[in-house]
Coordinates of all heavy atoms in Angstrom, one line a residue:
M1 N 5.9 4.2 -5.0 CA 6.9 4.2 -4.0 C 7.7 5.5 -4.0 O 8.2 5.8 -3.0 CB 7.9 3.0 -4.3 CG 7.3 1.7 -3.9 SD 8.3 0.2 -3.7 CE 9.9 0.6 -4.2
A2 N 7.7 6.2 -5.1 CA 8.4 7.5 -5.1 C 7.8 8.5 -4.2 O 8.5 9.2 -3.5 CB 8.4 8.1 -6.5
K3 N 6.5 8.5 -4.1 CA 5.8 9.4 -3.1 C 6.2 9.0 -1.7 O 6.4 9.9 -0.9 CB 4.3 9.3 -3.3 CG 3.5 10.3 -2.6 CD 2.0 10.2 -2.9 CE 1.2 11.2 -2.1 NZ -0.2 11.1 -2.5
F4 N 6.2 7.7 -1.4 CA 6.6 7.3 0.0 C 8.0 7.7 0.3 O 8.3 8.2 1.3 CB 6.4 5.8 0.1 CG 6.7 5.3 1.5 CD1 5.8 5.3 2.5 CD2 8.0 4.8 1.8 CE1 6.1 4.9 3.8 CE2 8.3 4.3 3.0 CZ 7.3 4.4 4.0
A5 N 8.9 7.5 -0.7 CA 10.3 7.8 -0.5 C 10.5 9.3 -0.3 O 11.3 9.7 0.6 CB 11.1 7.3 -1.7
A6 N 9.7 10.1 -1.0 CA 9.9 11.5 -0.8 C 9.4 12.0 0.6 O 10.0 12.9 1.2 CB 9.0 12.3 -1.9
A7 N 8.4 11.3 1.1 CA 7.8 11.6 2.4 C 8.7 11.0 3.5 O 8.6 11.4 4.7 CB 6.4 11.1 2.5
N8 N 9.5 10.0 3.2 CA 10.3 9.3 4.2 C 11.8 9.2 3.7 O 12.2 8.1 3.2 CB 9.8 7.8 4.4 CG 8.4 7.9 5.0 OD1 8.2 8.0 6.2 ND2 7.4 7.8 4.2
P9 N 12.5 10.3 3.8 CA 13.9 10.3 3.2 C 14.8 9.2 3.7 O 15.7 8.7 3.0 CB 14.4 11.7 3.6 CG 13.2 12.4 4.1 CD 12.1 11.5 4.4
K10 N 14.6 8.7 5.0 CA 15.4 7.6 5.5 C 15.2 6.3 4.7 O 16.1 5.5 4.6 CB 15.1 7.4 7.0 CG 15.6 8.4 7.9 CD 15.3 8.0 9.3 CE 15.8 9.1 10.3 NZ 15.5 8.7 11.7
A11 N 14.1 6.2 4.1 CA 13.8 5.0 3.3 C 14.2 5.0 1.9 O 14.4 4.0 1.3 CB 12.3 4.7 3.4
K12 N 14.5 6.2 1.4 CA 14.7 6.3 -0.1 C 15.9 5.5 -0.5 O 15.8 4.8 -1.5 CB 14.9 7.8 -0.4 CG 15.1 8.0 -1.9 CD 15.1 9.5 -2.3 CE 15.2 9.6 -3.8 NZ 15.1 11.0 -4.3
P13 N 17.1 5.6 0.1 CA 18.2 4.7 -0.4 C 17.9 3.2 -0.4 O 18.3 2.5 -1.4 CB 19.4 5.0 0.6 CG 19.0 6.3 1.2 CD 17.5 6.4 1.2
A14 N 17.2 2.8 0.6 CA 16.8 1.4 0.6 C 15.8 1.0 -0.4 O 15.9 -0.1 -1.0 CB 16.3 1.0 2.0
I15 N 14.9 1.9 -0.7 CA 13.9 1.7 -1.8 C 14.6 1.6 -3.1 O 14.4 0.7 -3.9 CB 12.8 2.7 -1.8 CG1 12.0 2.6 -0.5 CG2 12.0 2.7 -3.1 CD1 11.0 3.8 -0.3
V16 N 15.6 2.5 -3.4 CA 16.3 2.5 -4.6 C 17.1 1.2 -4.8 O 17.1 0.6 -5.8 CB 17.3 3.7 -4.7 CG1 18.2 3.6 -5.8 CG2 16.4 5.0 -4.8
R17 N 17.7 0.7 -3.7 CA 18.5 -0.6 -3.7 C 17.5 -1.7 -4.0 O 17.8 -2.6 -4.8 CB 19.2 -0.8 -2.4 CG 20.5 -0.1 -2.3 CD 21.4 -0.6 -1.1 NE 20.7 -0.5 0.2 CZ 20.6 0.6 0.9 NH1 21.2 1.7 0.5 NH2 20.0 0.6 2.1
W18 N 16.3 -1.7 -3.4 CA 15.4 -2.8 -3.6 C 14.9 -2.8 -5.0 O 14.8 -3.9 -5.6 CB 14.2 -2.7 -2.6 CG 13.3 -3.9 -2.8 CD1 13.4 -5.1 -2.1 CD2 12.2 -4.1 -3.7 NE1 12.5 -6.0 -2.6 CE2 11.7 -5.3 -3.6 CE3 11.7 -3.2 -4.7 CZ2 10.7 -5.8 -4.3 CZ3 10.6 -3.7 -5.4 CH2 10.1 -5.0 -5.2
V19 N 14.6 -1.7 -5.6 CA 14.2 -1.6 -7.0 C 15.2 -2.1 -7.9 O 14.9 -2.9 -8.8 CB 13.7 -0.2 -7.3 CG1 13.5 0.0 -8.8 CG2 12.5 0.2 -6.6
K20 N 16.5 -1.8 -7.7 CA 17.6 -2.3 -8.5 C 17.7 -3.8 -8.4 O 17.9 -4.5 -9.4 CB 18.9 -1.6 -8.1 CG 19.0 -0.2 -8.6 CD 20.4 0.4 -8.2 CE 20.5 1.8 -8.6 NZ 21.8 2.5 -8.2
L21 N 17.6 -4.3 -7.2 CA 17.7 -5.7 -6.9 C 16.5 -6.4 -7.7 O 16.8 -7.4 -8.4 CB 17.6 -6.0 -5.4 CG 17.4 -7.5 -5.1 CD1 18.7 -8.3 -5.3 CD2 17.0 -7.6 -3.6
A22 N 15.3 -6.0 -7.5 CA 14.2 -6.6 -8.1 C 14.2 -6.6 -9.6 O 13.8 -7.5 -10.3 CB 12.9 -6.0 -7.6
R23 N 14.7 -5.5 -10.2 CA 14.7 -5.4 -11.7 C 15.8 -6.3 -12.2 O 15.6 -6.8 -13.3 CB 15.0 -3.9 -12.1 CG 13.8 -3.0 -12.0 CD 14.1 -1.7 -12.5 NE 12.9 -0.9 -12.5 CZ 12.9 0.4 -12.5 NH1 14.0 1.1 -12.5 NH2 11.7 1.1 -12.5
A24 N 16.9 -6.5 -11.5 CA 17.9 -7.4 -12.0 C 17.6 -8.9 -11.8 O 18.1 -9.7 -12.5 CB 19.2 -7.0 -11.3
A25 N 16.7 -9.1 -10.8 CA 16.4 -10.5 -10.4 C 15.6 -11.2 -11.5 O 14.8 -10.6 -12.2 CB 15.7 -10.6 -9.1
K26 N 15.7 -12.5 -11.6 CA 14.9 -13.3 -12.5 C 14.3 -14.4 -11.6 O 14.4 -15.6 -11.9 CB 15.7 -13.9 -13.6 CG 16.4 -12.9 -14.5 CD 15.4 -12.1 -15.2 CE 16.1 -11.1 -16.1 NZ 15.3 -9.9 -16.4
W27 N 13.7 -14.0 -10.5 CA 13.1 -14.9 -9.5 C 12.0 -15.8 -10.2 O 11.1 -15.2 -10.8 CB 12.6 -14.2 -8.3 CG 13.6 -13.5 -7.5 CD1 14.8 -14.0 -7.1 CD2 13.5 -12.2 -6.9 NE1 15.4 -13.1 -6.3 CE2 14.7 -12.0 -6.2 CE3 12.5 -11.2 -6.9 CZ2 14.9 -10.8 -5.5 CZ3 12.8 -10.0 -6.2 CH2 14.0 -9.9 -5.5
A28 N 12.1 -17.1 -9.9 CA 11.1 -18.0 -10.5 C 10.3 -18.6 -9.3 O 9.3 -19.4 -9.6 CB 11.7 -19.0 -11.3
S29 N 10.6 -18.4 -8.1 CA 9.9 -19.0 -7.0 C 10.2 -18.2 -5.7 O 11.1 -17.4 -5.6 CB 10.4 -20.4 -6.8 OG 11.7 -20.4 -6.3
M30 N 9.4 -18.5 -4.7 CA 9.6 -17.9 -3.4 C 11.0 -18.3 -2.8 O 11.6 -17.6 -2.1 CB 8.5 -18.3 -2.4 CG 7.2 -17.7 -2.8 SD 7.2 -15.9 -2.8 CE 5.6 -15.5 -3.2
N31 N 11.3 -19.6 -3.1 CA 12.6 -20.1 -2.6 C 13.8 -19.3 -3.1 O 14.8 -19.0 -2.4 CB 12.8 -21.6 -2.9 CG 12.0 -22.5 -2.1 OD1 11.5 -22.1 -1.0 ND2 11.7 -23.7 -2.6
E32 N 13.7 -18.9 -4.4 CA 14.8 -18.0 -4.9 C 14.9 -16.7 -4.3 O 15.9 -16.1 -4.1 CB 14.6 -17.9 -6.5 CG 14.9 -19.2 -7.2 CD 14.8 -19.1 -8.7 OE1 14.7 -17.9 -9.2 OE2 14.8 -20.1 -9.4
I33 N 13.7 -16.1 -4.0 CA 13.7 -14.8 -3.3 C 14.3 -15.0 -1.9 O 15.2 -14.2 -1.5 CB 12.3 -14.3 -3.1 CG1 11.7 -14.0 -4.5 CG2 12.3 -13.0 -2.3 CD1 10.2 -13.6 -4.5
Q34 N 14.0 -16.0 -1.2 CA 14.5 -16.3 0.2 C 16.0 -16.5 0.1 O 16.7 -16.0 1.0 CB 13.8 -17.5 0.8 CG 12.4 -17.2 1.3 CD 11.8 -18.4 1.9 OE1 11.7 -19.5 1.2 NE2 11.3 -18.3 3.1
T35 N 16.5 -17.1 -0.9 CA 17.9 -17.3 -1.1 C 18.7 -16.0 -1.3 O 19.8 -15.8 -0.8 CB 18.2 -18.3 -2.2 OG1 17.6 -19.5 -1.9 CG2 19.7 -18.5 -2.4
T36 N 18.1 -15.1 -2.1 CA 18.7 -13.9 -2.5 C 18.6 -12.8 -1.4 O 19.5 -12.0 -1.2 CB 18.0 -13.3 -3.8 OG1 18.0 -14.3 -4.8 CG2 18.7 -12.1 -4.3
V37 N 17.5 -12.8 -0.7 CA 17.2 -11.7 0.3 C 17.0 -12.3 1.7 O 15.9 -12.8 2.0 CB 16.0 -10.9 -0.1 CG1 15.8 -9.8 0.8 CG2 16.0 -10.4 -1.5
P38 N 18.1 -12.3 2.5 CA 17.9 -12.9 3.8 C 16.9 -12.1 4.6 O 16.8 -10.9 4.5 CB 19.3 -12.7 4.4 CG 20.2 -12.5 3.3 CD 19.4 -11.9 2.2
G39 N 16.2 -12.8 5.4 CA 15.2 -12.1 6.3 C 13.8 -11.9 5.7 O 12.9 -11.4 6.4
V40 N 13.7 -12.2 4.4 CA 12.4 -12.0 3.8 C 11.4 -13.0 4.4 O 11.8 -14.1 4.8 CB 12.5 -12.2 2.2 CG1 12.8 -13.7 1.9 CG2 11.3 -11.8 1.5
V41 N 10.1 -12.6 4.5 CA 9.1 -13.5 5.0 C 8.1 -13.8 3.9 O 7.5 -12.9 3.4 CB 8.4 -12.8 6.2 CG1 7.2 -13.7 6.7 CG2 9.4 -12.6 7.3
V42 N 7.9 -15.1 3.6 CA 6.9 -15.5 2.6 C 5.6 -15.5 3.3 O 5.4 -16.2 4.3 CB 7.3 -16.8 2.0 CG1 6.2 -17.3 1.1 CG2 8.6 -16.8 1.2
L43 N 4.6 -14.7 2.8 CA 3.3 -14.6 3.4 C 2.3 -15.7 2.8 O 1.5 -16.2 3.5 CB 2.7 -13.2 3.2 CG 3.6 -12.1 3.8 CD1 3.1 -10.8 3.3 CD2 3.6 -12.2 5.3
N44 N 2.5 -16.0 1.5 CA 1.7 -17.0 0.9 C 2.3 -17.3 -0.5 O 3.5 -17.0 -0.7 CB 0.2 -16.6 0.7 CG 0.0 -15.4 -0.2 OD1 0.9 -15.0 -0.9 ND2 -1.2 -14.8 -0.1
G45 N 1.6 -17.9 -1.4 CA 2.2 -18.4 -2.6 C 2.6 -17.2 -3.6 O 3.4 -17.4 -4.5
E46 N 2.1 -16.0 -3.3 CA 2.5 -14.9 -4.2 C 3.0 -13.7 -3.5 O 3.6 -12.8 -4.1 CB 1.3 -14.5 -5.0 CG 0.2 -13.8 -4.2 CD -0.9 -13.2 -5.1 OE1 -1.1 -13.7 -6.2 OE2 -1.6 -12.2 -4.7
R47 N 2.8 -13.6 -2.1 CA 3.2 -12.4 -1.4 C 4.4 -12.6 -0.5 O 4.5 -13.6 0.2 CB 2.1 -11.8 -0.6 CG 1.0 -11.2 -1.4 CD 0.0 -10.5 -0.6 NE -1.0 -9.9 -1.5 CZ -1.6 -8.8 -1.2 NH1 -1.4 -8.1 -0.1 NH2 -2.5 -8.3 -2.1
V48 N 5.3 -11.6 -0.5 CA 6.5 -11.6 0.3 C 6.5 -10.3 1.1 O 6.2 -9.2 0.6 CB 7.7 -11.8 -0.6 CG1 9.0 -11.7 0.3 CG2 7.7 -13.0 -1.3
R49 N 7.1 -10.3 2.3 CA 7.3 -9.1 3.1 C 8.8 -8.9 3.2 O 9.5 -9.8 3.7 CB 6.7 -9.2 4.5 CG 6.9 -7.9 5.3 CD 6.6 -8.1 6.7 NE 7.8 -8.7 7.4 CZ 7.7 -9.4 8.5 NH1 6.6 -9.7 9.1 NH2 8.8 -9.9 9.0
F50 N 9.3 -7.8 2.8 CA 10.7 -7.4 2.9 C 10.8 -6.4 4.0 O 9.9 -5.5 4.1 CB 11.1 -6.7 1.6 CG 11.1 -7.6 0.4 CD1 10.0 -7.7 -0.4 CD2 12.3 -8.3 0.0 CE1 10.0 -8.5 -1.6 CE2 12.3 -9.1 -1.1 CZ 11.2 -9.3 -1.9
E51 N 11.9 -6.4 4.7 CA 12.2 -5.3 5.7 C 13.2 -4.5 5.0 O 14.2 -5.0 4.5 CB 12.7 -5.9 7.0 CG 11.5 -6.6 7.7 CD 11.8 -6.9 9.2 OE1 12.9 -6.5 9.6 OE2 11.0 -7.4 9.8
I52 N 13.0 -3.2 4.9 CA 14.0 -2.3 4.3 C 14.4 -1.2 5.2 O 13.8 -1.0 6.3 CB 13.4 -1.7 3.0 CG1 12.1 -0.9 3.3 CG2 13.1 -2.8 1.9 CD1 11.6 -0.1 2.1
A53 N 15.5 -0.6 4.8 CA 16.1 0.5 5.7 C 16.4 0.0 7.1 O 16.0 0.6 8.0 CB 15.2 1.7 5.7
G54 N 17.1 -1.1 7.1 CA 17.5 -1.7 8.4 C 16.4 -2.2 9.2 O 16.5 -2.3 10.5
G55 N 15.3 -2.5 8.6 CA 14.1 -3.0 9.3 C 13.2 -2.0 9.8 O 12.2 -2.2 10.5
N56 N 13.4 -0.7 9.4 CA 12.6 0.4 9.8 C 11.2 0.5 9.1 O 10.3 1.1 9.5 CB 13.3 1.7 9.7 CG 14.4 1.8 10.7 OD1 14.3 1.5 11.9 ND2 15.6 2.2 10.2
F57 N 11.2 -0.1 7.9 CA 10.0 -0.1 7.0 C 9.8 -1.5 6.5 O 10.7 -2.3 6.4 CB 10.2 0.9 5.9 CG 10.5 2.3 6.3 CD1 11.8 2.7 6.4 CD2 9.5 3.1 6.6 CE1 12.1 4.0 6.9 CE2 9.7 4.4 7.1 CZ 11.0 4.9 7.2
R58 N 8.5 -1.7 6.1 CA 8.1 -3.0 5.6 C 7.5 -2.8 4.2 O 6.8 -1.8 4.0 CB 7.1 -3.7 6.5 CG 7.9 -4.2 7.8 CD 7.1 -5.1 8.6 NE 7.9 -5.6 9.7 CZ 7.4 -6.3 10.6 NH1 6.2 -6.7 10.6 NH2 8.2 -6.7 11.6
L59 N 7.8 -3.7 3.3 CA 7.4 -3.7 2.0 C 6.7 -5.0 1.6 O 7.3 -6.1 1.8 CB 8.6 -3.5 1.1 CG 8.4 -3.5 -0.4 CD1 7.5 -2.4 -0.9 CD2 9.8 -3.5 -1.1
I60 N 5.5 -5.0 1.2 CA 4.8 -6.2 0.8 C 4.7 -6.2 -0.7 O 4.2 -5.2 -1.3 CB 3.4 -6.3 1.4 CG1 3.4 -6.4 2.9 CG2 2.6 -7.6 0.8 CD1 2.1 -6.3 3.6
V61 N 5.1 -7.3 -1.4 CA 5.1 -7.4 -2.8 C 4.5 -8.7 -3.2 O 4.8 -9.7 -2.6 CB 6.6 -7.3 -3.3 CG1 6.6 -7.4 -4.9 CG2 7.3 -6.1 -2.8
A62 N 3.6 -8.6 -4.2 CA 3.1 -9.8 -4.8 C 3.8 -10.1 -6.1 O 4.1 -9.1 -6.9 CB 1.6 -9.6 -5.1
F63 N 4.1 -11.3 -6.4 CA 4.9 -11.7 -7.6 C 4.1 -12.5 -8.6 O 3.4 -13.4 -8.2 CB 6.2 -12.4 -7.2 CG 7.2 -11.6 -6.5 CD1 7.2 -11.5 -5.2 CD2 8.1 -10.9 -7.3 CE1 8.2 -10.7 -4.5 CE2 9.0 -10.1 -6.7 CZ 9.1 -10.0 -5.3
A64 N 4.2 -12.2 -9.9 CA 3.7 -13.0 -10.9 C 5.0 -13.6 -11.6 O 5.5 -12.9 -12.5 CB 2.9 -12.2 -11.9
F65 N 5.5 -14.7 -11.1 CA 6.8 -15.2 -11.6 C 6.8 -15.5 -13.1 O 7.8 -15.2 -13.7 CB 7.1 -16.5 -10.8 CG 7.4 -16.2 -9.3 CD1 6.5 -16.7 -8.4 CD2 8.5 -15.5 -8.9 CE1 6.8 -16.5 -7.0 CE2 8.7 -15.2 -7.6 CZ 7.8 -15.8 -6.6
K66 N 5.7 -16.1 -13.6 CA 5.7 -16.4 -15.0 C 5.9 -15.2 -15.9 O 6.6 -15.3 -16.9 CB 4.3 -17.0 -15.3 CG 4.2 -17.5 -16.8 CD 2.8 -18.1 -17.0 CE 2.7 -18.5 -18.5 NZ 1.4 -19.1 -18.7
H67 N 5.4 -14.0 -15.5 CA 5.5 -12.8 -16.3 C 6.6 -11.9 -15.8 O 6.8 -10.8 -16.3 CB 4.2 -12.1 -16.3 CG 3.1 -12.9 -16.9 ND1 3.0 -13.3 -18.2 CD2 2.0 -13.5 -16.3 CE1 2.0 -14.0 -18.4 NE2 1.4 -14.2 -17.3
Q68 N 7.3 -12.3 -14.7 CA 8.4 -11.5 -14.1 C 7.9 -10.1 -13.7 O 8.5 -9.1 -14.0 CB 9.6 -11.4 -15.0 CG 10.3 -12.7 -15.2 CD 11.0 -13.2 -13.9 OE1 11.9 -12.5 -13.5 NE2 10.5 -14.2 -13.3
I69 N 6.8 -10.1 -13.0 CA 6.2 -8.8 -12.6 C 6.1 -8.8 -11.0 O 5.7 -9.8 -10.4 CB 4.8 -8.6 -13.2 CG1 4.9 -8.6 -14.7 CG2 4.2 -7.3 -12.6 CD1 3.5 -8.5 -15.4
A70 N 6.5 -7.7 -10.4 CA 6.3 -7.5 -9.0 C 5.3 -6.4 -8.8 O 5.5 -5.3 -9.4 CB 7.7 -7.1 -8.4
F71 N 4.3 -6.7 -8.0 CA 3.3 -5.7 -7.6 C 3.5 -5.2 -6.2 O 3.4 -6.0 -5.3 CB 1.9 -6.3 -7.8 CG 1.6 -6.9 -9.1 CD1 1.8 -8.2 -9.4 CD2 1.1 -6.0 -10.1 CE1 1.5 -8.7 -10.7 CE2 0.8 -6.5 -11.4 CZ 1.0 -7.9 -11.7
I72 N 3.8 -3.9 -6.0 CA 3.9 -3.4 -4.7 C 2.5 -3.2 -4.1 O 1.7 -2.6 -4.7 CB 4.6 -2.0 -4.7 CG1 5.9 -2.0 -5.5 CG2 4.8 -1.4 -3.3 CD1 6.9 -3.0 -5.0
K73 N 2.3 -3.9 -3.0 CA 1.0 -3.9 -2.3 C 1.0 -2.9 -1.1 O -0.1 -2.4 -0.8 CB 0.6 -5.3 -1.9 CG 0.4 -6.3 -3.1 CD -0.7 -5.8 -4.0 CE -0.9 -6.8 -5.1 NZ -2.1 -6.4 -5.9
F74 N 2.1 -2.7 -0.5 CA 2.2 -1.9 0.7 C 3.6 -1.5 1.0 O 4.6 -2.3 0.8 CB 1.7 -2.7 1.9 CG 1.9 -2.0 3.2 CD1 1.0 -1.1 3.7 CD2 3.0 -2.3 4.0 CE1 1.2 -0.4 4.9 CE2 3.2 -1.7 5.2 CZ 2.3 -0.7 5.7
I75 N 3.8 -0.3 1.4 CA 5.1 0.1 2.0 C 4.8 1.1 3.2 O 3.9 1.9 3.0 CB 6.0 0.8 1.0 CG1 7.4 1.0 1.6 CG2 5.4 2.0 0.4 CD1 8.5 1.4 0.6
G76 N 5.4 0.8 4.3 CA 5.1 1.7 5.5 C 6.0 1.3 6.6 O 6.8 0.4 6.6
T77 N 5.7 2.0 7.7 CA 6.4 1.7 9.0 C 5.9 0.4 9.6 O 4.9 -0.1 9.2 CB 6.3 2.8 10.0 OG1 4.9 2.9 10.3 CG2 6.7 4.1 9.4
H78 N 6.6 -0.1 10.6 CA 6.1 -1.3 11.3 C 4.7 -1.0 11.9 O 3.8 -1.9 11.9 CB 7.1 -1.7 12.4 CG 8.2 -2.4 11.9 ND1 8.6 -3.7 12.4 CD2 9.2 -2.1 11.0 CE1 9.7 -4.1 11.8 NE2 10.0 -3.2 10.9
A79 N 4.5 0.2 12.5 CA 3.2 0.5 13.1 C 2.1 0.5 12.0 O 1.0 0.0 12.3 CB 3.3 1.9 13.8
E80 N 2.4 1.1 10.8 CA 1.4 1.1 9.7 C 1.2 -0.4 9.3 O 0.0 -0.7 9.0 CB 1.9 1.9 8.6 CG 2.0 3.4 8.9 CD 2.7 4.2 7.9 OE1 3.7 3.7 7.3 OE2 2.4 5.4 7.9
Y81 N 2.2 -1.2 9.2 CA 2.1 -2.6 8.8 C 1.2 -3.3 9.7 O 0.4 -4.1 9.3 CB 3.5 -3.2 8.7 CG 3.4 -4.7 8.4 CD1 3.3 -5.2 7.1 CD2 3.5 -5.6 9.5 CE1 3.3 -6.5 6.9 CE2 3.5 -7.0 9.2 CZ 3.4 -7.4 7.9 OH 3.4 -8.8 7.7
D82 N 1.3 -3.1 11.0 CA 0.5 -3.7 12.0 C -1.0 -3.5 11.9 O -1.8 -4.2 12.4 CB 1.0 -3.4 13.4 CG 2.3 -4.0 13.8 OD1 2.7 -4.9 13.1 OD2 2.9 -3.5 14.7
K83 N -1.4 -2.4 11.1 CA -2.8 -2.1 11.0 C -3.4 -2.6 9.7 O -4.6 -2.4 9.4 CB -2.9 -0.5 10.9 CG -2.5 0.1 12.2 CD -2.6 1.6 12.1 CE -2.2 2.3 13.4 NZ -2.1 3.8 13.3
V84 N -2.6 -3.3 8.9 CA -3.1 -3.8 7.6 C -3.1 -5.4 7.6 O -2.4 -6.0 8.4 CB -2.3 -3.3 6.4 CG1 -2.4 -1.8 6.3 CG2 -0.9 -3.8 6.4
D85 N -3.9 -5.9 6.7 CA -3.9 -7.4 6.5 C -2.9 -7.6 5.4 O -3.2 -7.3 4.2 CB -5.3 -7.9 6.2 CG -5.3 -9.4 5.9 OD1 -4.2 -10.0 5.8 OD2 -6.4 -10.0 5.8
A86 N -1.8 -8.2 5.7 CA -0.7 -8.4 4.7 C -1.1 -9.2 3.5 O -0.5 -9.1 2.5 CB 0.5 -9.0 5.4
L87 N -2.1 -10.1 3.7 CA -2.5 -11.0 2.7 C -3.5 -10.3 1.7 O -3.7 -10.9 0.6 CB -3.1 -12.2 3.2 CG -2.2 -13.1 4.1 CD1 -2.9 -14.3 4.7 CD2 -0.9 -13.5 3.3
T88 N -4.1 -9.2 2.1 CA -5.1 -8.6 1.2 C -4.8 -7.1 0.9 O -5.5 -6.6 0.0 CB -6.5 -8.7 1.8 OG1 -6.5 -8.0 3.1 CG2 -6.9 -10.1 2.0
V89 N -3.9 -6.5 1.6 CA -3.7 -5.1 1.4 C -3.3 -4.8 -0.1 O -2.6 -5.6 -0.7 CB -2.6 -4.5 2.4 CG1 -1.2 -5.1 2.1 CG2 -2.6 -3.0 2.3
A90 N -3.8 -3.7 -0.6 CA -3.5 -3.3 -2.0 C -3.5 -1.8 -2.0 O -4.4 -1.1 -2.6 CB -4.5 -3.9 -2.9
M91 N -2.5 -1.2 -1.5 CA -2.4 0.3 -1.4 C -2.0 0.9 -2.8 O -2.3 2.0 -3.1 CB -1.3 0.7 -0.4 CG -1.8 0.5 1.0 SD -0.5 1.0 2.2 CE -0.7 2.8 2.2
Y92 N -1.2 0.1 -3.6 CA -0.7 0.6 -4.9 C -1.2 -0.3 -6.0 O -1.4 -1.4 -5.9 CB 0.8 0.7 -4.8 CG 1.3 1.6 -3.7 CD1 1.8 1.0 -2.5 CD2 1.3 2.9 -3.8 CE1 2.3 1.8 -1.5 CE2 1.8 3.7 -2.8 CZ 2.3 3.1 -1.6 OH 2.7 3.9 -0.6

C-alpha cells in the first residue's frame, strides 16, 4: 500500500487512517466491521470493500478473523476497481 500511497498522494492520509483503524480493531466478524465502518460492503464471508479518501479509491481486504490478519487484495480507483473481479483479485 505504501507504493500506491506514494503514487496517489490524495489517498495517503486515508490509507494511514485505515491502517491505524485496522491495527487497533479486534474484529471477529463481518458484522463488527460493518458496525465500525459505515459504508463498507461485504463481498463474501472473508472479503470486504472499503471506500477511502471520500470514496475516491476502493480497497478490498480479506480477513482471517481467527488469526486477526487482514490481507490487502486490491487498492485502486473506481475505474480500476471496475476492471477486476472483487472476489478473486489478489494484487498484493
Side-chain angles (χ1 to χ4, degrees):
M1 285 194 356
K3 187 176 179 179
F4 181 85
N8 297 276
K10 287 184 180 180
K12 187 174 181 175
I15 291 170
V16 169
R17 278 192 305 274
W18 185 89
V19 169
K20 285 180 184 178
L21 171 72
R23 284 186 175 158
K26 300 296 180 207
W27 294 316
S29 70
M30 293 298 183
N31 287 339
E32 288 183 11
I33 296 172
Q34 287 178 304
T35 300
T36 307
V37 184
V40 70
V41 175
V42 174
L43 301 171
N44 63 17
E46 71 171 25
R47 287 186 180 216
V48 176
R49 185 193 78 207
F50 296 89
E51 292 195 1
I52 59 171
N56 292 313
F57 301 94
R58 292 191 174 176
L59 173 67
I60 298 173
V61 183
F63 289 93
F65 294 113
K66 181 179 179 182
H67 301 290
Q68 291 293 293
I69 299 172
F71 300 95
I72 306 302
K73 298 297 185 175
F74 171 86
I75 186 168
T77 65
H78 281 237
E80 292 166 335
Y81 173 83
D82 289 342
K83 295 177 183 176
V84 300
D85 180 348
L87 299 177
T88 61
V89 67
M91 291 179 76
Y92 303 100

